[in-house]
Amino acid sequence: MRKPERFRHFLNYFTTHFPEPKTELHYSNPYELIVAVVLSAQCTDKRVNQIMPALLEQFPTPAHLALASAEEIFPFIRSVSYPNNKAKHLAGLGRLLVAEFNSEVPSTIEELQRLPGVGRKTANVIVSVIYNQPAMAVDTHVFRVSHRLGLVTQKATTPLAVEKELVRYIPESLIPKAHHWLILHGRYVCVARTPKCGICPLKGFCKYYATHFGKPDTQDLSPATTVEI
Protein backbone atom coordinates (compact mmCIF):
# COMPACT_ATOMS: atom_id res chain seq x y z
CA MET A 1 0.00 0.00 0.00
CA ARG A 2 1.37 3.37 -1.01
CA LYS A 3 1.66 6.13 1.56
CA PRO A 4 -1.07 8.45 0.14
CA GLU A 5 -3.53 5.55 0.26
CA ARG A 6 -2.55 4.73 3.83
CA PHE A 7 -3.11 8.34 4.86
CA ARG A 8 -6.46 8.37 3.07
CA HIS A 9 -7.66 5.37 5.07
CA PHE A 10 -6.44 6.94 8.29
CA LEU A 11 -8.20 10.24 7.63
CA ASN A 12 -11.37 8.59 6.34
CA TYR A 13 -11.75 6.53 9.48
CA PHE A 14 -11.28 9.32 11.98
CA THR A 15 -13.21 12.02 10.13
CA THR A 16 -16.12 9.58 10.04
CA HIS A 17 -15.96 8.08 13.52
CA PHE A 18 -14.26 10.76 15.62
CA PRO A 19 -14.75 14.09 13.80
CA GLU A 20 -14.21 16.45 16.75
CA PRO A 21 -11.36 15.21 18.96
CA LYS A 22 -10.31 17.29 21.96
CA THR A 23 -7.36 17.41 24.32
CA GLU A 24 -7.94 15.57 27.58
CA LEU A 25 -6.26 18.33 29.56
CA HIS A 26 -8.72 20.54 31.42
CA TYR A 27 -8.41 24.28 30.77
CA SER A 28 -10.56 27.35 30.31
CA ASN A 29 -8.09 29.82 28.77
CA PRO A 30 -4.68 29.85 27.00
CA TYR A 31 -2.76 30.48 30.23
CA GLU A 32 -4.27 27.43 31.90
CA LEU A 33 -3.52 25.28 28.87
CA ILE A 34 0.14 26.27 28.59
CA VAL A 35 0.66 25.57 32.30
CA ALA A 36 -1.04 22.19 31.91
CA VAL A 37 0.97 21.26 28.82
CA VAL A 38 4.27 22.16 30.52
CA LEU A 39 3.28 19.96 33.46
CA SER A 40 2.17 17.10 31.19
CA ALA A 41 5.66 16.42 29.81
CA GLN A 42 6.38 12.75 30.63
CA CYS A 43 3.33 12.77 32.89
CA THR A 44 -0.27 11.66 32.39
CA ASP A 45 -3.04 14.12 31.60
CA LYS A 46 -5.04 12.53 34.41
CA ARG A 47 -2.42 13.47 36.99
CA VAL A 48 -2.11 17.00 35.64
CA ASN A 49 -5.88 17.47 35.76
CA GLN A 50 -5.85 16.37 39.40
CA ILE A 51 -3.37 19.00 40.52
CA MET A 52 -4.41 21.92 38.32
CA PRO A 53 -7.39 23.18 40.41
CA ALA A 54 -5.28 23.82 43.53
CA LEU A 55 -2.43 25.26 41.46
CA LEU A 56 -4.75 27.66 39.65
CA GLU A 57 -6.48 28.69 42.84
CA GLN A 58 -3.13 29.87 44.14
CA PHE A 59 -1.81 31.21 40.80
CA PRO A 60 -4.89 32.06 38.70
CA THR A 61 -3.15 34.41 36.24
CA PRO A 62 0.30 34.98 34.73
CA ALA A 63 0.71 37.92 37.10
CA HIS A 64 0.24 35.68 40.14
CA LEU A 65 2.64 33.09 38.71
CA ALA A 66 5.20 35.81 37.93
CA LEU A 67 5.39 36.75 41.60
CA ALA A 68 5.98 33.18 42.75
CA SER A 69 9.26 31.42 43.31
CA ALA A 70 9.94 27.85 42.26
CA GLU A 71 9.91 26.91 45.94
CA GLU A 72 6.39 28.33 46.31
CA ILE A 73 5.14 26.48 43.22
CA PHE A 74 6.72 23.13 44.04
CA PRO A 75 4.23 21.95 46.73
CA PHE A 76 1.37 22.23 44.25
CA ILE A 77 3.06 20.10 41.59
CA ARG A 78 5.12 17.68 43.66
CA SER A 79 3.19 14.66 42.34
CA VAL A 80 4.03 15.23 38.67
CA SER A 81 7.21 14.00 37.00
CA TYR A 82 10.30 16.20 37.44
CA PRO A 83 8.58 18.69 39.78
CA ASN A 84 11.74 20.63 40.62
CA ASN A 85 12.49 21.49 37.00
CA LYS A 86 8.86 22.18 36.20
CA ALA A 87 8.51 24.51 39.19
CA LYS A 88 11.47 26.52 37.86
CA HIS A 89 9.98 26.53 34.37
CA LEU A 90 6.60 27.77 35.57
CA ALA A 91 8.14 30.55 37.64
CA GLY A 92 10.15 31.72 34.64
CA LEU A 93 7.20 31.29 32.29
CA GLY A 94 5.03 33.54 34.45
CA ARG A 95 7.65 36.25 34.60
CA LEU A 96 8.25 36.24 30.85
CA LEU A 97 4.56 36.24 29.99
CA VAL A 98 4.12 39.36 32.11
CA ALA A 99 7.34 41.13 31.14
CA GLU A 100 7.33 40.55 27.39
CA PHE A 101 3.89 39.41 26.32
CA ASN A 102 1.53 41.56 28.41
CA SER A 103 0.30 38.42 30.21
CA GLU A 104 -0.96 36.98 26.91
CA VAL A 105 0.08 33.57 25.60
CA PRO A 106 1.81 34.23 22.26
CA SER A 107 0.44 32.75 19.05
CA THR A 108 3.64 31.85 17.19
CA ILE A 109 5.86 28.84 17.64
CA GLU A 110 8.96 31.03 17.69
CA GLU A 111 7.68 33.26 20.49
CA LEU A 112 6.31 30.34 22.50
CA GLN A 113 9.67 28.57 22.44
CA ARG A 114 11.19 31.54 24.24
CA LEU A 115 9.16 30.61 27.31
CA PRO A 116 10.85 28.37 29.92
CA GLY A 117 9.71 24.76 29.66
CA VAL A 118 8.24 25.24 26.19
CA GLY A 119 9.85 23.24 23.41
CA ARG A 120 8.60 22.69 19.88
CA LYS A 121 6.10 20.01 20.91
CA THR A 122 4.48 22.20 23.56
CA ALA A 123 4.47 25.20 21.22
CA ASN A 124 2.78 23.14 18.53
CA VAL A 125 0.10 22.03 20.99
CA ILE A 126 -0.66 25.62 21.96
CA VAL A 127 -0.90 27.04 18.44
CA SER A 128 -2.93 24.02 17.33
CA VAL A 129 -5.42 23.84 20.21
CA ILE A 130 -5.78 27.54 21.01
CA TYR A 131 -5.16 29.19 17.66
CA ASN A 132 -6.21 26.33 15.35
CA GLN A 133 -3.01 26.56 13.33
CA PRO A 134 -1.86 23.56 11.22
CA ALA A 135 0.83 22.44 13.66
CA MET A 136 1.56 18.78 14.43
CA ALA A 137 2.86 18.19 17.95
CA VAL A 138 4.82 14.93 18.10
CA ASP A 139 4.92 13.23 21.48
CA THR A 140 5.73 9.59 22.21
CA HIS A 141 2.22 8.45 21.19
CA VAL A 142 2.27 10.27 17.87
CA PHE A 143 5.80 9.04 17.17
CA ARG A 144 4.91 5.41 17.93
CA VAL A 145 1.53 5.24 16.20
CA SER A 146 2.63 7.01 13.02
CA HIS A 147 5.50 4.54 12.63
CA ARG A 148 3.37 1.48 13.38
CA LEU A 149 0.66 2.47 10.95
CA GLY A 150 3.27 3.17 8.29
CA LEU A 151 2.36 6.84 7.95
CA VAL A 152 6.02 7.77 8.26
CA THR A 153 9.19 6.04 7.12
CA GLN A 154 11.80 4.39 9.29
CA LYS A 155 14.10 7.24 8.32
CA ALA A 156 11.96 9.55 10.47
CA THR A 157 13.96 9.00 13.65
CA THR A 158 13.30 12.34 15.35
CA PRO A 159 10.07 14.12 16.35
CA LEU A 160 10.78 16.88 13.83
CA ALA A 161 11.25 14.37 11.02
CA VAL A 162 7.96 12.68 11.94
CA GLU A 163 6.23 16.06 12.07
CA LYS A 164 7.44 16.98 8.58
CA GLU A 165 6.34 13.67 7.05
CA LEU A 166 2.89 13.82 8.67
CA VAL A 167 2.05 17.38 7.64
CA ARG A 168 3.09 16.63 4.08
CA TYR A 169 0.15 14.25 3.60
CA ILE A 170 -2.52 15.67 5.92
CA PRO A 171 -4.69 18.58 4.74
CA GLU A 172 -3.98 21.72 6.77
CA SER A 173 -7.54 21.88 8.08
CA LEU A 174 -7.19 18.40 9.58
CA ILE A 175 -3.71 18.68 11.12
CA PRO A 176 -4.95 19.96 14.52
CA LYS A 177 -7.42 17.07 14.68
CA ALA A 178 -4.94 14.46 13.44
CA HIS A 179 -2.65 15.36 16.33
CA HIS A 180 -5.39 14.32 18.78
CA TRP A 181 -6.37 11.26 16.75
CA LEU A 182 -2.84 9.88 16.91
CA ILE A 183 -2.40 10.68 20.61
CA LEU A 184 -5.70 9.17 21.70
CA HIS A 185 -5.24 6.08 19.55
CA GLY A 186 -1.81 5.57 21.08
CA ARG A 187 -3.11 6.17 24.58
CA TYR A 188 -6.00 3.70 24.45
CA VAL A 189 -5.47 1.22 21.59
CA CYS A 190 -1.99 1.28 20.09
CA VAL A 191 -0.32 1.23 23.49
CA ALA A 192 3.44 0.89 23.82
CA ARG A 193 4.01 -2.57 25.26
CA THR A 194 1.05 -4.66 24.13
CA PRO A 195 -0.93 -2.93 21.39
CA LYS A 196 -4.58 -3.97 21.26
CA CYS A 197 -4.45 -5.08 17.64
CA GLY A 198 -7.43 -7.39 18.02
CA ILE A 199 -9.82 -4.51 18.58
CA CYS A 200 -8.04 -1.91 16.45
CA PRO A 201 -10.23 -0.47 13.68
CA LEU A 202 -7.12 0.55 11.74
CA LYS A 203 -5.58 -2.89 11.32
CA GLY A 204 -6.78 -3.16 7.73
CA PHE A 205 -4.05 -0.74 6.64
CA CYS A 206 -1.61 -0.99 9.56
CA LYS A 207 1.96 -1.90 8.68
CA TYR A 208 2.66 -3.26 12.18
CA TYR A 209 -0.39 -5.54 12.01
CA ALA A 210 0.55 -6.85 8.58
CA THR A 211 4.11 -7.57 9.75
CA HIS A 212 3.12 -9.36 12.94
CA PHE A 213 -0.19 -11.03 12.04
CA GLY A 214 -0.16 -11.41 8.29
CA LYS A 215 -2.62 -10.16 5.72
CA PRO A 216 -5.10 -7.65 7.20
CA ASP A 217 -8.86 -7.96 6.92
CA THR A 218 -9.85 -5.81 3.96
CA GLN A 219 -13.36 -5.27 5.33
CA ASP A 220 -11.76 -2.67 7.59
CA LEU A 221 -11.12 -0.53 4.51
CA SER A 222 -14.66 0.60 3.86
CA PRO A 223 -14.78 4.27 4.86
CA ALA A 224 -18.07 6.11 4.94
CA THR A 225 -16.48 9.26 3.57
CA THR A 226 -13.54 10.12 1.37
CA VAL A 227 -10.92 12.72 2.27
CA GLU A 228 -8.78 14.16 -0.48
CA ILE A 229 -5.06 14.51 0.27
Side-chain angles (χ1 to χ4, degrees):
M1 183 181 295
R2 297 178 66 84
K3 186 177 288 189
E5 184 181 1
R6 202 180 297 276
F7 270 91
R8 190 172 293 112
H9 287 309
F10 168 76
L11 296 172
N12 284 340
Y13 175 81
F14 281 108
T15 54
T16 300
H17 298 283
F18 198 14
E20 298 299 331
K22 304 292 183 183
T23 178
E24 293 187 317
L25 290 170
H26 298 165
Y27 73 98
S28 59
N29 58 55
Y31 163 69
E32 293 181 6
L33 180 61
I34 196 169
V35 169
V37 177
V38 168
L39 290 174
S40 71
Q42 300 184 54
C43 185
T44 66
D45 288 0
K46 181 179 179 180
R47 169 61 60 186
V48 174
N49 289 336
Q50 288 173 343
I51 70 166
M52 282 293 289
L55 178 68
L56 292 174
E57 184 176 359
Q58 187 70 22
F59 311 109
T61 68
H64 289 85
L65 195 63
L67 295 174
S69 66
E71 291 73 24
E72 291 171 318
I73 296 170
F74 177 85
F76 295 92
I77 67 170
R78 66 167 70 244
S79 63
V80 303
S81 58
Y82 308 105
N84 287 297
N85 284 339
K86 289 178 181 178
K88 295 175 184 177
H89 289 157
L90 290 182
L93 182 147
R95 289 193 293 270
L96 203 59
L97 282 177
V98 171
E100 298 195 26
F101 297 104
N102 196 31
S103 294
E104 298 291 332
V105 174
S107 61
T108 70
I109 292 173
E110 293 73 22
E111 288 179 317
L112 283 162
Q113 288 187 97
R114 292 175 54 197
L115 299 170
V118 177
R120 185 174 180 86
K121 185 206 76 173
T122 297
N124 279 345
V125 170
I126 299 302
V127 300
S128 172
V129 173
I130 297 297
Y131 301 110
N132 200 36
Q133 295 179 21
M136 173 61 69
V138 178
D139 68 354
T140 56
H141 296 303
V142 174
F143 191 91
R144 178 177 70 253
V145 173
S146 58
H147 276 97
R148 283 181 176 171
L149 289 176
L151 298 179
V152 300
T153 65
Q154 293 303 311
K155 294 180 180 179
T157 58
T158 66
L160 182 58
V162 169
E163 176 187 334
K164 288 181 177 180
E165 289 199 20
L166 289 174
V167 300
R168 179 182 175 188
Y169 288 94
I170 300 175
E172 283 194 359
S173 62
L174 293 179
I175 289 174
K177 294 181 179 183
H179 158 70
H180 295 302
W181 289 332
L182 289 164
I183 285 178
L184 295 172
H185 192 68
R187 187 172 289 166
Y188 297 111
V189 180
C190 194
V191 294
R193 293 188 178 180
T194 309
K196 302 174 184 178
C197 297
I199 65 168
C200 180
L202 311 183
K203 61 180 178 286
F205 62 90
C206 177
K207 206 167 188 179
Y208 178 92
Y209 186 87
T211 299
H212 289 79
F213 300 102
K215 187 177 180 180
D217 187 347
T218 56
Q219 70 179 3
D220 292 322
L221 301 180
S222 303
T225 61
T226 300
V227 175
E228 297 296 331
I229 62 174

